[in-house]
């Protein structure tokens, strides 16, 4: 079992002001996109989370020279001497986002070799068929050599791409490949997450020719050269949502000065429906939350942006478990993203799972317990529950927390939350290793 756990004590109402870090789901793909350029680029507002370090290691493996000034969150990347295009199975297993180097490597070298399926969270089967099938439409030949997945192309050709589902990763990968393809690529039913737009802003600065047409069509006209860039990563809307939810769970009052309300509309709507007061700063920058002391339970359905983000479903479930009334949470993006529900039940939450719906009946009190987080957002859910629960909660799965957040525990502590990180293993033998869900016998 990977080392470390989080310890959470019942905490007083959160109070104060905290600023956000850069967005994990924007920076990872942006680092991958630097493969499209030859030369020195600088990224600003880069969070120092574990997945970022993994992506840096991957680019170093390809031959990039990288310096990460973690104090100022500045990443200096020189891609002049890139010489490799293979991603080991071990690297793929470590972080799913490694798949996002495929488009840029095909554009730069016309080839990629990937050892094994991408890893990542245990929240679903997470196939990559949309990526591969659409690369094939752009002239890429995909084949296997042993366990390795190989892809070759002499020259990427533009194509009309129709996505059955607006996959974030597939949209990003295809856009990056299309920036250097011959002709104009049209992506129909593309993902429109703010992180996708942050990537498009960066590629446009590199010299790419990308247009977005409502409702969700992205048009990319291929160019011959993309040049190095200086780019600032957007703030993390998922961190913002998590901090607001954590504060609401303690009945607190917080201000996030650099949160952009425009990318959190449905999240803020749901918090207001619960009875929490939300005030937005000028130009929609800055979010102030004042909690109600008698929160109403609300129902929600996750979906592609601008619907409720699946990455805030888990923390929101924890919040509903101590609200007044019944809430139904429907998860439509990933088919097995309710592991945290069973851990919340260990803390006294009243939750029934019916297929992709969780029916939560609010309880007066939760109690601390020893629980296991199985993915990044599950750690946040269990932290939220622990802040409201009587006693002490210990959460195994610290590595997930570190993958997704840049020392978020420090920000929570600044708001008065009693959350601490412990690198060593917890000594309780009944801290079982939860087996990774195996095809067909998953708990949900
Ligand atoms: C991105 O994952 C995010 N990760 C996820 O955040 C996020 O939950 C997800 O988008 C949805 O918003 C990063 O940006 C690094 P998808 P991604 O392709 O790109 C199916 C977190 O906690 N699908 O939009 O992998 C897939 O199985 C993480 O920060 C296919 O069937 O998500 C899923 O059901 C977790 N075939 C749905 O589409 C494909 O080829 C959405 O996946 C691709 C996807």
């Amino acid at each position: 079992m990977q080392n470390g756990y989080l310890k959470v004590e019942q905490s007083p109402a959160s109070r104060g002001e905290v600023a956000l870090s850069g967005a994990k789901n924007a920076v990872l793909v942006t680092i991958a996109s630097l493969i499209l350029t030859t030369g020195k680029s600088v990224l600003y507002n880069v969070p120092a989370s574990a997945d970022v370090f993994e992506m840096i290691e991957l680019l170093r493996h390809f031959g990039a020279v990288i310096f990460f000034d973690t104090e100022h969150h500045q990443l200096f990347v020189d891609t002049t001497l890139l010489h490799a295009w293979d991603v080991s199975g071990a690297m793929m297993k470590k972080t799913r986002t490694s798949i996002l180097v495929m488009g840029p490597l095909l554009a730069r070298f016309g080839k990629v070799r990937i050892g094994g399926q991408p890893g990542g969270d245990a929240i679903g089967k997470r196939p990559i068929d949309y990526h591969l099938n659409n690369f094939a439409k752009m002239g890429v030949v995909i084949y296997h050599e042993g366990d390795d997945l190989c892809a070759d192309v002499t020259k990427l050709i533009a194509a009309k791409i129709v996505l059955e589902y607006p996959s974030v990763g597939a949209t990003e990968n295809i856009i990056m490949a299309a920036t250097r393809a011959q002709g104009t690529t049209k992506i129909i039913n593309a993902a429109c997450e703010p992180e996708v737009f942050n990537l498009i802003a960066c590629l446009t600065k590199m010299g790419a020719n990308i247009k977005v047409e409502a409702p969700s069509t992205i048009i990319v006209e291929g160019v011959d050269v993309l040049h190095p860039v200086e780019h600032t990563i957007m703030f993390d809307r998922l961190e913002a949502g998590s901090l607001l939810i954590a504060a609401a769970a303690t009945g607190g009052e917080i201000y996030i000065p650099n949160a952009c309300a425009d990318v959190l509309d449905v999240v803020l709507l749901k918090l207001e429906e619960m009875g929490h007061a939300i005030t937005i700063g000028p130009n929609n920058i800055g979010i102030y939350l004042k909690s109600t002391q008698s929160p109403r339970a609300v129902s929600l359905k996750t979906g592609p942006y601008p619907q409720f983000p699946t990455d805030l479903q888990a923390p929101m479930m924890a919040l509903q478990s101590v609200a007044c009334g019944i809430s139904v949470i429907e998860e439509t993006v990933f088919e097995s993203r309710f592991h945290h529900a069973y851990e919340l039940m260990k803390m006294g939450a009243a939750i029934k799972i019916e297929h992709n719906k969780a029916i939560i009946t609010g309880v007066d009190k939760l109690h601390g317990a020893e629980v296991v987080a199985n993915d990044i957002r599950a750690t946040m859910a269990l932290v939220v529950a622990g802040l409201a629960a009587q006693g002490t909660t210990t959460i195994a799965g610290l590595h997930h927390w570190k993958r997704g957040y840049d020392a978020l525990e420090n920000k929570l502590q600044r708001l008065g939350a009693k959350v601490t990180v412990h690198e060593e293993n917890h000594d309780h033998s009944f801290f079982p290793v939860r087996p990774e869900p195996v095809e067909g016998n998953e708990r949900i």
Side-chain angles (χ1 to χ4, degrees), residues 78 150 299 386:
D78 185 346
C150 304
S299 296

Side-chain angles (χ1 to χ4, degrees), residues 24-25 96-97 121 123 126-131 165-169 193 310-311 333-335 337 377:
K24 169 184 82 80
N25 291 351
R96 174 187 173 75
T97 327
D121 298 335
I123 59 179
R126 307 189 75 175
I128 53 170
D129 51 332
Y130 301 162
H131 302 244
Y165 179 93
S167 150
V168 173
E193 268 64 7
T310 173
D311 298 336
V333 181
F334 291 105
E335 71 277 11
R337 198 168 207 179
R377 311 306 169 179

Side-chain angles (χ1 to χ4, degrees), residues 28 31 84 100 102 139 155 189 203 240 252 263 267 290 292 308 318 323 333 335 349 362 368 438:
L28 295 175
I31 296 172
L100 293 175
M102 221 178 154
K155 174 72 188 150
N189 195 26
L203 293 169
V263 295
V267 178
K290 183 170 174 22
T292 170
F308 193 94
V333 181
E335 71 277 11
V438 177

Side-chain angles (χ1 to χ4, degrees), residues 45-362:
N45 200 29
V46 175
S49 52
D51 272 5
V52 170
F53 288 105
E54 294 297 349
M55 195 51 126
I56 291 171
E57 280 324 302
L58 185 54
L59 257 75
R60 282 199 176 118
H61 161 73
F62 296 144
V65 178
I66 300 181
F67 171 63
F68 187 8
D69 172 355
T70 51
E71 196 195 335
H72 301 100
H73 299 283
Q74 297 178 356
L75 191 67
F76 301 83
V77 182
D78 185 346
T79 52
T80 308
L81 301 173
L82 291 196
H83 53 75
W85 49 83
D86 61 308
V87 185
S88 69
M91 178 52 91
M92 251 312 153
K93 217 163 180 34
K94 261 196 223 156
T95 172
R96 174 187 173 75
T97 327
S98 316
I99 195 71
L100 293 175
V101 298
M102 221 178 154
L105 287 173
L106 283 167
R108 182 165 180 152
F109 295 112
K111 54 183 141 201
V112 190
R113 175 183 284 271
I114 293 180
Q117 282 291 328
D121 298 335
I123 59 179
K125 296 190 187 64
R126 307 189 75 175
I128 53 170
D129 51 332
Y130 301 162
H131 302 244
L132 303 181
N133 297 348
N134 290 305
F135 281 143
K137 286 203 180 119
M138 299 175 81
V140 179
V141 179
I142 313 253
Y143 57 99
H144 279 85
E145 264 177 16
D147 288 344
D148 289 1
L149 171 73
C150 304
D152 290 359
V153 66
T154 323
K155 174 72 188 150
L156 283 162
I157 309 293
K160 178 181 178 185
I161 306 281
V162 180
L163 289 176
E164 182 186 344
Y165 179 93
S167 150
V168 173
T171 300
E172 293 169 336
N173 233 340
I174 295 159
I175 291 174
M176 292 188 283
T179 57
R180 301 281 309 279
Q182 202 168 332
T184 305
T185 297
K186 213 176 191 180
I187 310 172
I188 312 290
N189 195 26
C192 292
E193 268 64 7
E195 294 77 16
V196 174
F197 282 74
N198 197 249
L199 170 69
I200 290 174
C202 181
L203 293 169
T204 304
K205 279 184 210 157
M206 291 179 187
N209 184 340
I210 306 174
K211 290 187 192 57
V212 180
E213 277 179 9
S216 50
T217 299
I218 297 178
I219 298 163
V220 187
E221 188 161 344
V223 296
D224 293 333
V225 178
L226 292 174
H227 47 76
V229 71
E230 289 203 23
H231 179 68
T232 300
I233 300 297
M234 63 178 279
F235 289 108
D236 195 333
R237 65 189 169 109
L238 303 170
E239 186 187 33
S242 301
L243 285 164
L244 293 170
I245 290 169
T250 65
E253 204 171 326
I254 68 166
Y255 178 53
I256 311 177
N258 56 357
C260 171
D262 289 338
V263 295
L264 283 164
D265 286 328
V266 180
V267 178
L268 299 178
L269 173 74
K270 287 295 162 188
L271 288 171
E272 283 179 325
E273 279 179 9
M274 291 186 75
H276 301 298
I278 303 278
T279 313
I280 308 294
N283 308 322
N284 286 330
I285 302 295
I287 299 176
Y288 180 80
L289 170 124
K290 183 170 174 22
S291 303
T292 170
Q293 299 314 309
S294 49
R296 290 185 297 275
V298 296
S299 296
L300 59 92
K301 181 177 173 180
T302 67
Y305 187 84
Q307 295 179 46
F308 193 94
T310 173
D311 298 336
L312 289 176
Q313 175 259 98
M316 202 59 170
M317 185 187 289
L319 189 61
Q320 300 315 308
S321 64
V322 283
C324 313
I326 294 179
S327 138
V328 178
I329 292 184
E330 187 176 350
E331 173 56 58
T332 74
V333 181
F334 291 105
E335 71 277 11
S336 58
R337 198 168 207 179
F338 280 155
H339 293 288
H340 47 278
Y342 296 89
E343 301 306 305
L344 289 171
M345 291 183 209
K346 286 184 190 168
M347 300 175 72
I351 305 175
K352 223 168 29 149
I353 303 290
E354 290 174 3
H355 308 298
N356 70 333
K357 286 198 174 92
I359 297 117
I360 305 122
T361 306

Side-chain angles (χ1 to χ4, degrees), residues 3-8 395 398 401-402 407-410 413 418-424:
N3 277 346
Y5 62 99
L6 288 138
K7 193 163 130 185
V8 188
I395 308 168
L398 179 63
W401 177 261
K402 290 185 160 204
L408 183 52
E409 66 278 5
N410 296 346
Q413 287 163 7
K418 299 179 182 168
V419 183
T420 46
V421 154
H422 300 261
E423 302 290 347
E424 77 290 355

Side-chain angles (χ1 to χ4, degrees), residues 31-54:
I31 296 172
S33 76
L34 299 177
I35 296 168
L36 294 163
T37 73
T38 302
K40 295 191 171 93
S41 296
V42 189
L43 299 181
Y44 300 99
N45 200 29
V46 175
S49 52
D51 272 5
V52 170
F53 288 105
E54 294 297 349

